[in-house]
Amino acid sequence: MSISHWPEGERPREKLINLGAQALSDAELLAIFLRVGVKGRSAVDLARDLLSEFGGLRPLLEADRGTFCQAHGLGDAKYVQLQAALELSRRHLETLLMRGDALNSPTMVRRFLSAHLRDLGHEVFAALFLDSQHRVLRFEKLFTGTLDAAAVYPREVARRALALNAGAVIFAHNHPSGVAEPSDADRHITTRLVEALGLFDIRVLDHFVVGDGDVASFAERGWL
C-alpha cells in the first residue's frame, strides 16, 4: 500500500510535523529523505531494506559513493543530497558554537568534535581556540598523522593561539581504532601543551579523545 493511503498519524511526514523528528524511527526518517519507494515497495519499506542491507543507519550514512550507489533505489543524486545534508549538519553545529555565547555546553562540544573527527581514517589533532570569555574564535585541524599517530608540536600550537589572541584552548584528536581511551602519549603531549601555553597565560580547558562511540574528556577525569 502506498504511504499516501496510510492513516495520517502513521505517515512519516505528518508524524514529524505533529510529533517532531525525534519521534520517528530511523526507517521513517530515511523514508522522508528517499521521498519515493520502488516498484512494489513503499519508501518506508525501501528504507527498512536499506538499513538491513547496510547494517544500520550509521554505515549507510558513512558509505562511500560506490557502495552507496550500488544499493537498489539509490544513486548519485541521492548520494549528493545525503552528503549535502551531512555537511549542513556539521556547519549547523559549528554555527551554534561560533554564535558569540560563552561555551558552556560539553554535550554540544562533544557532538561537534565527533561530527568532525570520528569517521576519519587517520589521526587528526585539532583545537577550539577561545577568547578570554570562552567564546569560540576558531576551530582548526592542526596536525594530521598516519593510522594511529599524529605528531604535535607545542611551539606551533602556541604560535597559532597567540596569532588568534586566544585566552583558552580545547584540544581534541581522534583514535581511528575507535577506542576513545587516552594513551600515555596523549597524556604526555597534553602536559607539554599545558606547559607551553601556560607561559603565555593561555588555559587548556580540556582535551577530548574521539572514538567510535565515545568521547573521553581529560577534564572529567581530573587530568587538567
Side-chain angles (χ1 to χ4, degrees), residues 15 20 29 55 59 61 69 82 94 104 115 154 202 210 218:
K15 189 175 177 181
L29 289 169
L61 298 180
C69 293
L82 177 61
E94 187 166 359
N104 55 16
I202 301 171
V210 179
F218 276 49

Side-chain angles (χ1 to χ4, degrees), residues 184-210:
D184 290 341
D186 294 338
R187 297 188 66 177
H188 176 68
I189 192 59
T190 303
T191 299
R192 291 181 57 200
L193 288 165
V194 170
E195 293 172 349
L197 292 172
L199 296 174
F200 306 100
D201 294 322
I202 301 171
R203 293 184 59 203
V204 177
L205 300 182
D206 208 337
H207 184 170
F208 290 98
V209 181
V210 179

Side-chain angles (χ1 to χ4, degrees), residues 13-187:
R13 292 181 185 177
E14 287 77 1
K15 189 175 177 181
L16 187 149
I17 291 171
N18 293 326
L19 301 176
Q22 70 280 356
L24 275 65
S25 67
D26 289 350
E28 290 170 328
L29 289 169
L30 184 58
I32 292 175
F33 170 76
L34 293 171
R35 295 181 55 202
V36 296
V38 294
K39 187 175 181 179
R41 307 288 287 171
S42 71
V44 173
D45 292 330
L46 176 59
R48 289 172 180 154
D49 292 344
L50 290 169
L51 291 173
S52 177
E53 178 180 345
F54 280 86
L57 184 60
R58 182 178 167 189
L60 172 61
L61 298 180
E62 296 174 358
D64 60 45
R65 178 187 171 198
T67 303
F68 184 91
C69 293
Q70 286 176 359
H72 187 49
L74 301 180
D76 279 337
K78 283 289 186 287
Y79 180 77
V80 169
Q81 291 174 26
L82 177 61
Q83 295 307 308
L86 292 173
E87 183 60 25
L88 281 171
S89 177
R90 285 189 286 265
R91 294 188 187 188
H92 173 62
L93 286 172
E94 187 166 359
T95 299
L96 291 176
L97 285 179
M98 303 288 186
R99 64 185 179 182
D101 298 334
L103 192 59
N104 55 16
S105 174
T107 299
M108 184 183 295
V109 174
R110 275 184 159 88
R111 287 174 57 198
F112 174 82
L113 295 174
S114 185
H116 279 270
L117 300 175
R118 182 185 65 187
D119 300 322
L120 299 177
H122 51 276
E123 191 164 307
V124 170
F125 186 91
L128 276 168
F129 294 101
L130 315 175
D131 66 14
S132 59
Q133 303 300 313
H134 296 174
R135 293 171 298 198
V136 177
L137 296 170
R138 189 169 302 180
F139 171 74
E140 292 188 359
K141 296 176 181 177
L142 299 174
F143 305 106
T144 299
T146 56
L147 180 63
D148 59 357
V152 178
Y153 301 98
R155 180 183 299 177
E156 296 301 319
V157 176
R159 181 177 298 156
R160 189 61 184 142
L162 290 169
L164 293 170
N165 196 29
V169 184
I170 294 174
F171 294 117
H173 75 281
N174 64 311
H175 280 178
S177 66
V179 180
E181 184 63 26
S183 66
D184 290 341
D186 294 338
R187 297 188 66 177

